[in-house]
Amino acid sequence: MKIAIISSNTLPTPPAGVEIPDGWTTSIHNLISEITEGLVNKGHDVTLYASGDSKTSAKLKSVWDVSSSELEKIENQFGYYCYDHILTSYCFEDLKKEKYDIIYTYHTFDSGIYGNLIEAPIVSTFHGSARDDYLKIWGTKIISPNIYIGISDFQINSIPYLHFYDRIYHGIDGDFFKYQSHVNDNLVTVGRISTDKGTDISIDIANELNKQLDIFGTTNYKPLMDELLEKSKDHKINFHGQKEQNIIKHTVSNSKAFIFPIRWDEPFGLVLIESLACGTPIIAFANGSLPEIVEDGKTGFLVNSDESNIRGDWITKKTGREGLLEAVNKLYSLPMEEYLQMRKNCRESFEQRFTKEIMINNYEKLFQKIISEKIEK
């Protein structure tokens, strides 16, 4: 297949070794890099449209020599969308002479606006959620919609007005995130620091149980950071900021448990499958896609966030903070043999569902199917 893949110009693809501003995410760039390299390794003719400082074994085409964040400083990562629009239009202009079989892009709706102007099918993985206020307008009014791919069953079921062609779970490199059985007594959490992610609740739980908590992530919202720092005074809370994946994976793999008291309906969480790959059990609120990722009692413990938000009949019957405390205590009180089995379960679950090889194979099959079916726009 001759495939065009459009990344974001915001950061290099992948963004390894690049200083990431506070509150930003690199997940899109990392995922697109994995899919690109995997398809190249399978022998496909792949062209990656990304910033000129990206690293890839595919053909690299760029509008600018460096990423948007190097061209001008904008506090909000989404403020760079204009650069991404131009990069996308460059790919579509290229299509006149390149004749790609298929275009894959993370630009879920923006690319679809121009879909009626080109012949090749556009496949977009939607990374957002039903709470995105622009979604209903874009998803229902767009002239020539993309072929949308969901990242979890929960996400697909929560957005009935957006037609999804398929669901493909994210995948990561199991050789990089290695299984570890010998661990310390600490809790860990990874991700953007925010009330949505429940960073404050993680700190409360660690403080109450007198456990060390390692926090990886940043926020550009100073009032929240000041509040969390005050809450952490005289306790075993370590704010590490944004670190390289080598450092994060070492800490996660050596931790007793990954705590994730998320308040919103996360459509998927890459940090969760990284934890599974390391063998680190997850204790989390059962919001969003969490029940698809965490097997209650087998790879961690799920907790209903409150009495009015019952998502399942979990082992832990209490809800909210009390439920989290019960779940954490339950995990810490497991006999060592049972705890080590839970760590093995985590790795096995990862290998069966969330490796990058599975993800890449699924995208390859999807692209081949779409091309062979000649889907009508």
Side-chain angles (χ1 to χ4, degrees):
M1 289 183 289
K2 189 171 183 179
I3 306 167
I5 297 181
I6 310 175
S7 185
S8 168
N9 200 81
T10 309
L11 296 167
T13 303
V18 176
E19 185 175 345
I20 309 300
D22 289 349
W24 285 29
T25 178
T26 61
S27 57
I28 297 292
H29 302 79
N30 285 323
L31 283 166
I32 288 179
S33 178
E34 290 285 16
I35 294 168
T36 301
E37 299 309 303
L39 291 171
V40 170
N41 290 338
K42 283 175 167 287
H44 298 290
D45 182 358
V46 183
T47 300
L48 175 67
Y49 289 81
S51 63
D53 47 358
S54 299
K55 306 291 187 213
T56 181
S57 56
K59 299 170 189 171
L60 178 63
K61 291 202 172 185
S62 308
V63 178
W64 299 276
D65 292 337
V66 295
S67 60
S68 315
S69 57
E70 293 297 316
L71 293 169
E72 63 175 305
K73 300 302 177 185
I74 301 175
E75 185 175 343
N76 188 334
Q77 188 172 8
F78 300 109
Y80 292 97
Y81 269 170
C82 58
Y83 290 94
D84 290 354
H85 295 333
I86 294 169
L87 184 65
T88 299
S89 68
Y90 178 41
C91 172
F92 290 168
E93 178 71 20
D94 242 7
L95 186 65
K96 294 176 183 177
K97 60 179 183 292
E98 292 293 345
K99 305 297 182 186
Y100 295 117
D101 295 315
I102 200 161
I103 296 174
Y104 175 67
T105 171
Y106 98 99
H107 303 279
T108 314
F109 302 120
D110 307 347
S111 299
I113 296 175
Y114 310 102
N116 60 324
L117 303 177
I118 64 175
E119 301 250 340
I122 304 170
V123 178
S124 295
T125 300
F126 181 48
H127 296 268
S129 72
R131 76 176 187 173
D132 293 328
D133 55 10
Y134 61 83
L135 179 57
K136 197 160 189 175
I137 297 174
W138 283 91
T140 58
K141 303 296 184 185
I142 200 164
I143 297 171
S144 181
N146 300 357
I147 298 168
Y148 300 118
I149 306 303
I151 55 178
S152 70
D153 294 334
F154 172 85
Q155 179 205 47
I156 290 173
N157 293 332
S158 66
I159 313 173
Y161 47 83
L162 185 62
H163 175 68
F164 287 94
Y165 185 81
D166 203 350
R167 185 267 291 149
I168 297 179
Y169 286 136
H170 292 329
I172 58 172
D173 186 354
D175 291 332
F176 181 80
F177 293 94
K178 293 185 181 296
Y179 170 73
Q180 170 75 19
S181 60
H182 303 290
V183 299
N184 55 39
D185 201 44
N186 302 341
L187 294 170
V188 65
T189 189
V190 182
R192 181 169 45 86
I193 291 177
S194 71
T195 52
D196 272 353
K197 300 285 188 179
T199 314
D200 56 320
I201 304 176
S202 297
I203 293 171
D204 288 340
I205 298 299
N207 289 348
E208 186 157 345
L209 297 177
N210 195 32
K211 299 294 184 184
Q212 177 173 314
L213 171 65
D214 291 296
I215 300 173
F216 290 92
T218 60
T219 178
N220 54 12
Y221 186 54
K222 189 175 182 299
L224 173 62
M225 195 66 212
D226 290 343
E227 176 187 329
L228 297 180
L229 288 171
E230 182 64 31
K231 188 188 289 279
S232 304
K233 274 185 180 178
D234 303 319
H235 291 283
K236 303 174 183 177
I237 311 298
N238 299 320
F239 290 93
H240 298 285
Q242 184 75 44
K243 297 294 183 184
E244 292 184 1
Q245 281 283 27
N246 268 321
I247 297 173
I248 296 174
K249 74 168 182 178
H250 176 77
T251 304
V252 171
S253 64
N254 281 282
S255 296
K256 185 81 170 181
F258 188 104
I259 186 166
F260 202 63
I262 192 161
R263 285 187 172 97
W264 79 297
D265 286 324
E266 180 93 60
F268 195 89
L270 275 172
V271 295
L272 300 173
I273 62 174
E274 291 169 2
S275 185
L276 292 178
C278 293
T280 304
I282 299 162
I283 297 171
F285 283 149
N287 293 333
S289 62
L290 268 292
E292 293 178 58
I293 299 172
V294 181
E295 297 169 86
D296 189 42
K298 186 176 179 181
T299 61
F301 293 108
L302 291 169
V303 178
N304 289 312
S305 57
D306 60 66
E307 291 294 336
S308 64
N309 188 27
I310 303 300
R311 302 295 179 94
D313 183 17
W314 316 118
I315 293 170
T316 302
K317 300 307 178 186
K318 293 180 180 178
T319 63
R321 281 178 169 82
E322 287 188 4
L324 287 171
L325 285 168
E326 180 184 329
V328 173
N329 279 323
K330 193 186 304 291
L331 184 137
Y332 274 89
S333 64
L334 286 175
M336 184 53 64
E337 184 178 351
E338 291 183 27
Y339 173 73
L340 291 177
Q341 182 59 53
M342 184 174 279
R343 293 192 70 88
K344 291 177 183 177
N345 295 342
C346 289
R347 180 68 189 194
E348 288 174 3
S349 177
F350 162 75
E351 291 177 346
Q352 291 166 7
R353 301 191 293 158
F354 300 121
T355 66
K356 70 173 184 178
E357 289 80 10
I358 294 172
M359 174 183 68
I360 292 163
N361 286 340
N362 285 337
Y363 274 107
E364 180 186 40
K365 292 174 186 175
L366 172 75
F367 294 166
Q368 290 169 336
K369 183 180 180 183
I370 289 171
I371 291 170
S372 65
E373 288 182 353
K374 293 183 169 52
I375 293 176
E376 292 289 332
K377 290 189 179 184

